Amino acid sequence: MLILGIETSCDETAAAVVQDGSILLSNAIASSMDLHKAFGGVVPEIAARSHIEVINPIIKQALDEAKTGWDDIDAIAVTQGPGLGGSLLIGVLTARTYAITKHKPLYAVDHVMAHPFATFINETNLAGYSLPASQPKFPMLALIVSGGHTQLVLFRSPFDYSVVGKTQDDAVGEAFDKVAKMLGLPYPGGPSISNSATQGDPHRYVLPDSRMPSPYDFSFSGLKTAVLRVLQAESGQGHDFPSFRLPEALSKSQVHDMAASFQFTAVQTLVSKTLRALIEFQPASIVVAGGVSANQELRSELENQLPLQPIYTDLSLCTDNGAMIAVLGGYMHKAGMEQADPYMLDIRPNLPM
Ligand code: KG4
Ligand code: ZN
């Protein structure tokens, strides 16, 4: 069974071919990230325009790299939401067009739900991938941490799940991106904070840990504000000092130490809530997915503190990709789930999981 997965929810235009839900035959990705860097974040109009330019070449590349053609593709899976409206529209309209013209079944996939399914890929002939040795087992606890989402989800099967906890405000990736901006570190903030943190002291600044009514819910906006207040005080300024002027007022060691202290606090929050959920729900496996799962500090703390070895995947499958969409679409195809109408399928930018 060969599934073509198409993903365009944010700034990555991605298409991949996955065989039998576990073998990665191709993984084509074009990112408009460089175009957004000057603005310190993703600009929706620029992202949508970039998707239009590259979506067809990316799909062709995915088929070529997989050494396959339309005849052999069993179904198309596409991200329906959540995400940026203009970006989602390009992926969905393209998938609809191919579904009609190539006579393929079409499946609408939830982007957030798809993230953990990237860890189901455990085989490839493509060079340079470091993949899990085996597929996660159900019940599977998933920590989904990205620029738009932070949640703990218990999957009893691919389509039977409960959201155990989620962020009540900012996503953790968003907090990395915003704190990086305050520190004058380049976008995206996740990798630049973790780079800077390697030279910093994680205990120099003591930042608050969020207290939520539910032990599994998250909050990162208080942490972000605490970082701002400490940085204003460190640069000898008051609460009205604008955050965009902080980078020029901070020393290198202040930047490194705050990057390390922020990362330490964010990681400890994620790990402690995951550990608690693990003890309560006793899953057979635990997977960590989404862009922030690329964070090495998070990986090593999870390994240190959890009684069960967490499963994560290659860095290129942690951030947005078409392969995770193809894996979940493949489960839908195999389970005989309802196909999307290629003449009607609409985007769902605010799709809740
Ligand atoms: O999953 P993803 O590619 O897109 C969304 O669905 O949001 O995640 C992007 C997020 C960004 O906020 C980025 O800063 C964060 O993942 N990220 C990281 C790292 N690499 C990417 N955060 C922490 N450490 C990293 N190494
Ligand atoms: Zn994502």
Side-chain angles (χ1 to χ4, degrees):
M1 181 179 71
L2 291 192
I3 309 289
L4 172 71
I6 299 173
E7 151 65 34
T8 63
S9 67
C10 192
D11 57 338
E12 270 98 17
T13 317
V17 178
V18 174
Q19 182 183 343
D20 301 331
S22 65
I23 309 169
L24 185 68
L25 299 187
S26 63
N27 187 28
I29 303 179
S31 175
S32 56
M33 182 109 67
D34 287 343
L35 301 175
H36 304 288
K37 274 198 171 128
F39 303 95
V42 175
V43 183
E45 288 76 9
I46 296 179
R49 251 179 277 140
S50 308
H51 287 307
I52 296 180
E53 284 167 19
V54 299
I55 184 109
N56 283 310
I58 281 291
I59 290 173
K60 182 171 186 307
Q61 189 185 329
L63 293 172
D64 290 351
E65 269 175 19
K67 299 188 178 56
T68 188
W70 282 108
D71 285 352
D72 297 321
I73 295 292
D74 293 290
I76 302 172
V78 65
T79 303
Q80 182 185 27
L84 300 170
S87 292
L88 289 167
L89 207 52
I90 312 302
V92 166
L93 287 175
T94 307
R96 283 172 50 179
T97 308
Y98 281 119
I100 294 167
T101 57
K102 308 293 181 188
H103 310 287
K104 302 293 173 187
L106 178 65
Y107 295 94
V109 172
D110 177 327
H111 174 94
V112 183
M113 195 174 150
H115 260 298
F117 287 87
T119 58
F120 282 65
I121 292 168
N122 60 0
E123 217 183 306
T124 188
N125 281 330
L126 303 174
Y129 279 80
S130 136
L131 299 175
S134 58
Q135 290 194 320
K137 306 235 175 332
F138 294 100
M140 162 180 99
L141 180 69
L143 173 67
I144 307 173
V145 278
S146 73
H149 301 273
T150 303
Q151 43 190 282
L152 277 164
V153 184
L154 185 69
F155 286 88
R156 286 168 286 272
S157 74
F159 307 110
D160 176 13
Y161 62 82
S162 327
V163 178
V164 170
K166 58 180 194 292
T167 182
Q168 300 299 310
D169 41 61
D170 292 354
V172 62
E174 191 179 352
F176 269 89
D177 294 335
K178 286 177 177 166
V179 168
K181 215 167 176 175
M182 290 180 213
L183 295 174
L185 299 170
Y187 176 84
S192 53
I193 289 221
S194 52
N195 273 339
S196 169
T198 57
Q199 300 172 64
D201 171 6
H203 304 296
R204 170 151 173 203
Y205 302 115
V206 178
L207 299 166
D209 192 9
S210 66
R211 293 268 175 273
M212 303 301 293
S214 155
Y216 308 116
D217 281 342
F218 302 90
S219 162
F220 289 99
S221 96
L223 174 58
K224 183 190 67 190
T225 308
V227 169
L228 174 65
R229 295 289 177 250
V230 171
L231 293 179
Q232 285 168 328
E234 282 290 283
S235 48
Q237 305 288 339
H239 285 188
D240 52 358
F241 189 65
S243 61
F244 69 87
R245 291 193 50 203
L246 282 170
E248 67 195 58
L250 296 168
S251 71
K252 274 210 168 74
S253 75
Q254 285 172 322
V255 169
H256 296 324
D257 291 344
M258 182 52 90
S261 302
F262 162 77
Q263 177 175 262
F264 173 80
T265 310
V267 164
Q268 290 308 320
T269 302
L270 295 172
V271 175
S272 66
K273 291 186 185 249
T274 307
L275 175 60
R276 199 162 165 166
L278 195 81
I279 293 167
E280 164 90 24
F281 300 105
Q282 299 286 322
S285 67
I286 161 138
V287 312
V288 192
V292 182
S293 70
N295 188 279
Q296 293 302 333
E297 174 76 12
L298 175 62
R299 290 184 175 202
S300 67
E301 282 304 300
L302 286 167
E303 269 168 45
N304 287 344
Q305 297 186 39
L306 300 189
L308 193 64
Q309 172 71 26
I311 301 173
Y312 18 64
T313 189
D314 195 80
L315 297 189
S316 63
L317 295 170
C318 289
T319 46
D320 294 346
N321 63 84
M324 65 189 198
I325 306 300
V327 173
L328 192 51
Y331 273 109
M332 295 170 85
H333 188 55
K334 214 168 122 188
M337 286 177 71
E338 198 186 338
Q339 295 175 19
D341 181 342
Y343 290 94
M344 299 291 284
L345 181 65
D346 205 354
I347 58 168
R348 294 185 67 189
N350 300 314
L351 184 64
M353 189 167 167

